Amino acid sequence: MIQLTHLEKLEAEAIHIIRETVATCDNPVMLYSIGKDSAVLLHLALKAFYPGPLPFPVLHVDTTWKFREMIAFRDQRAKELGLDLIVHVNQEGVRAGVNPFVSGSRVHTDVMKTQALRQALDMHKFDAAFGGARRDEEKSRAKERVFSLRTAEHRWDPKSQRPEPWRLYNTRKRPGESFRVFPLSNWTEADVWDYVARENIPVVPLYFAAPRPVVVRDGALIMRDDDRMALRPGEVVETRMVRFRTLGCYPLTGAVESTAATLPEIIAEMRGSRSSERQGRIIDHDGAGSMEQKKQEGYF
Amino acid sequence: MSPAVALRAVPDIPAPEPIASKGPALLRFITCGSVDDGKSTLIGRMLYEAQLVHDDLLDALARDSRKFGTQGDKLDLALLVDGLSAEREQGITIDVAYRYFATPRRSFIVADTPGHDQYTRNMATGASTADLAVILVDARKGVLPQTRRHSFIVSMLGVRHIVVAVNKMDLVGYQQAVFDGIVAQYREMAARLGFDAVTPIPISALEGENVARRSTAMPWYAGPSLFEHLETVEISASAAPGVRFRFPVQWVNRPNLDFRGFSGTVAGGVIRPGDEIAALPSGRPSRVRRIVTQGGDLDEAVAGQAVTLTLDDEIDVSRGDVIVAVGDGLTARKAFAGRLLWMSERSLGNGEEFQLRLASATAAARVSVLGAVDIHSFEPAAADGLGMNEIGLVTVALDRPVALTDYRGDRELGAFILVDRVTGDTVALGLVDAGAASLVRGADAVARRAGGTGPAAAVRRHLAEGLVAGWRAGLIEEASWRLLSGLGMAALTQAVLGDWRLTIAAGLLEALLRPALRFAHRKGWRALEQRRLARAAYDADGSGI
Ligand SMILES: Nc1nc2c(ncn2[C@@H]2O[C@H](COP(=O)(O)OP(=O)(O)OP(=O)(O)O)[C@@H](O)[C@H]2O)c(=O)[nH]1
Ligand SMILES: [Mg+2]
């Protein structure tokens, strides 16, 4: 008899969760952040409903500050896979001139990501939103449920989460309430990369090392992706061999120096690394418990 | 030297030779026990030893330790795991945290559970999927009421492997007498809980003694370190999925008129195209035509795989139905007996109605409380309601038939949750347990006969019988096997006395015969056991709840 491998078990669990959502919620949507976790999530969702098409749309909350390569990749994948892609931008935020340089990472993230996400979910009346978050990413995420209930105001209450024994997911909710659903809860960063390699899943080239124009700012290597990023006195753009472990808004995402240009090299580098995946994420460090707080406010 | 550097100076784990893993490649375990026994500290220590704490997190930990820490200038490893701000402020664990780590021999999913009474539901959640439980005991305090409570819940949920980690040995001078005393105390308490293995290990989570490496501070202890034990422990088949094919239908995949497939995750057994099946509750038979996945059709699917089945006939199957192998014996029922862990702050009254969720099925469920188990003494008593964290013996009446069976034989079709229909909260977790009803019915009968011993005493007796039944079956099996193989050996020895060539032949025969016999013998017992369970469930159900 076949013995399932660790990855096969994780895959089956994720497919089970995705199907459970579609079977019990009225109007699900998949959050697509264009990163590796989203790529894996999308891949699993396509598997879950084969031979049928994806029975829900895919939502990208665009802060307008994503790497250009990410947007190009998103549009290409949407076309190849025939996705029903919704791109939402918080136009109020754009009109108010919110941006990461002037407003700071905290305000920028709140307005262009958290508020924008809430707008999009309300506008389309989605009652369940898949996200690619993993419990190993951050210690408040380690406490989150697979089906994470949000109030009508999109708030998360970490202290009174529903118990989730076995794989019995309670998908009952009151009008206005919604779920964030995390099929990759039990995956680690290493599992994601192993799976990307095993399944040959396309990912944004920014994950692979290449010579890129970067600026050293506040100790982080920031890639100058367009000329909206004004240089401060003394700053110079230099070309370095870098790659990204996680992708977000380019001014808020630190690159790492690396020569890992292939999947096996990335996997080897990650296993030997002495720093965590989200270290490059500037928004995570805006104060202790900041991820938990952002999540309470409706961030993924 | 900064604390982070001091901690990093702990010697590396000696690289173990890769061994042929006997158990699963993945082990799921929990830490549990009383408040402040050091569960989170232990997991923090394990993550650290498994090289999982990256430098930036270690720096953050050093900062956090100064702010919230309980260990003076030293690092407070519990802060690696207690990730909610309320937990860090209060220095306690509130919600279960799942962490992932691997050693060269095995990968692990560990759930850190809270010790506080108030959050028992989160502990039970962690235990529901565990293969093994590490029960911590503070060396200074010994077995506490909460140690008993957690041990009981862990046993009820079917965890059969226990590690008793006697922690904070550093605070009692690493004395053997303290350890031995607590181990004796624990063994006495756990004797009725039907565990397969109880492994005691003296540790200091704070200092890392006997966690990743064997301690030099306790030369009197000759056993394995916690890591060594977790890496090599064999988990018995009781936790494994059942052998019969069972497939709760999650979702009907009907993208166009030419395709109608049933999607779900195989709960037990194996299925192949051509196999004869029946759909419950209707009982209508058909045959599996294809096992569809995106990667291509499969020749077989096993427990744990998420697949889509197509059938030969257009029979009516929908979400909540269960596809089983023909002749399974599983039936859909509208009433059953079971155990509940009540998890809501408001108490449960007799006859209340909820939504029940079992595998992919949902039904309206009316719950009658027969009794409650006092988890400090393990003694059941008559009750007509349940308070938060109480364990009840109940009967449940459903508004429609649902395919279900005893939890002991099938983790998937024997586990359920109850959902409050107004708030949507998960208010209870439950196990189908035919014994729970006979236990209480039996109690009445015995009480009548004994005239005055009272139902509590009788219920206690029945409960104790139920707990040791599994263990007893194992013992008889082992004894009969010994007898059988002994007889075989005697016959061979007799032959050997005649001729030396026969000795060799006998040796070969014994070597080849023994595993084959053992296998066949085990199989026979398992089939018997399955039949007994099925009959018990049927009897209990048939005698009208
Ligand atoms: N001396 C000593 N102290 C320890 C040891 N293990 C834990 N502690 C301390 O005991 C206290 C409680 O530790 P935690 O790990 O938070 O305990 P817990 O069991 O997770 O507590 P709850 O989750 O709230 O039930 C902390 O101050 C720890 O530093 C040990 O081996 N030796
Ligand atoms: Mg704790």
Side-chain angles (χ1 to χ4, degrees), chain A residues 16 20 143 186 274 276 292, chain B residues 55-56 85 95 100 250:
Chain A
H16 183 87
E20 196 68 10
K143 301 266 170 180
N186 290 322
R274 288 297 312 155
S276 73
E292 180 182 343
Chain B
D55 289 351
D56 52 316
S85 28
D95 210 338
Y100 312 83
Q250 243 191 319

Side-chain angles (χ1 to χ4, degrees), chain B residues 36-41 70-71 93 115 167-168 170 204-206:
Chain B
D36 276 354
D37 282 350
K39 301 173 286 295
S40 304
T41 306
T70 57
Q71 286 298 331
T93 305
N167 188 31
K168 308 197 187 181
D170 54 303
S204 166
L206 189 71

Side-chain angles (χ1 to χ4, degrees), chain B residues 237-373:
Chain B
S238 66
V243 288
R244 290 158 192 237
F245 174 70
R246 285 168 184 173
F247 186 79
V249 174
Q250 243 191 319
W251 191 69
V252 180
N253 189 347
R254 191 155 177 69
N256 55 55
L257 290 177
D258 302 327
F259 188 89
R260 182 153 162 269
F262 305 103
S263 298
T265 304
V266 181
V270 192
I271 192 77
R272 297 185 184 84
D275 284 358
E276 288 181 40
I277 57 94
L280 297 176
S282 75
R284 286 206 187 83
S286 184
R287 209 185 283 269
V288 173
R289 177 176 295 170
R290 296 170 55 199
I291 305 172
V292 180
T293 72
Q294 194 200 40
D297 283 12
L298 304 182
D299 296 333
E300 66 174 25
V302 301
Q305 266 179 306
V307 295
T308 298
L309 304 180
T310 65
L311 304 179
D312 273 352
D313 310 277
E314 285 281 315
I315 61 171
D316 176 20
V317 179
S318 50
R319 175 175 165 86
D321 292 357
V322 180
I323 296 177
V324 299
V326 147
D328 179 306
L330 186 73
T331 52
R333 303 200 242 151
K334 284 186 73 173
F336 66 91
R339 289 160 191 258
L340 276 193
L341 171 65
W342 184 252
M343 306 192 290
S344 172
E345 264 151 41
R346 72 160 187 90
S347 48
L348 166 69
N350 218 343
E352 278 193 70
E353 210 170 287
F354 301 93
Q355 185 190 57
L356 168 132
R357 291 184 173 237
L358 186 150
S360 59
T362 54
R366 187 173 295 282
V367 179
S368 309
V369 182
L370 307 174
V373 181

Side-chain angles (χ1 to χ4, degrees), chain B residues 475-544:
Chain B
L475 200 74
I476 298 170
E477 175 184 349
E478 189 55 34
S480 73
W481 163 246
R482 285 272 153 84
L483 193 70
L484 191 69
S485 83
L487 281 175
M489 264 315 271
L492 286 169
T493 315
Q494 185 67 24
V496 166
L497 284 176
D499 190 329
W500 66 268
R501 274 165 301 194
L502 278 179
T503 311
I504 298 168
L508 281 174
L509 260 179
E510 162 71 2
L512 294 176
L513 214 58
R514 187 187 271 270
L517 266 177
R518 166 134 237 171
F519 177 75
H521 179 256
R522 246 199 216 151
K523 230 178 138 161
W525 268 101
R526 249 186 229 140
L528 263 178
E529 176 69 5
Q530 285 278 354
R531 214 170 302 160
R532 194 188 61 77
L533 269 178
R535 210 176 30 238
Y538 180 79
D539 288 348
D541 203 34
S543 39

Side-chain angles (χ1 to χ4, degrees), chain B residues 449-473:
Chain B
R449 249 179 287 130
T453 32
V459 171
R460 185 186 330 140
R461 200 154 39 240
H462 280 258
L463 179 70
E465 274 170 26
L467 286 170
V468 296
W471 173 79
R472 215 166 43 211

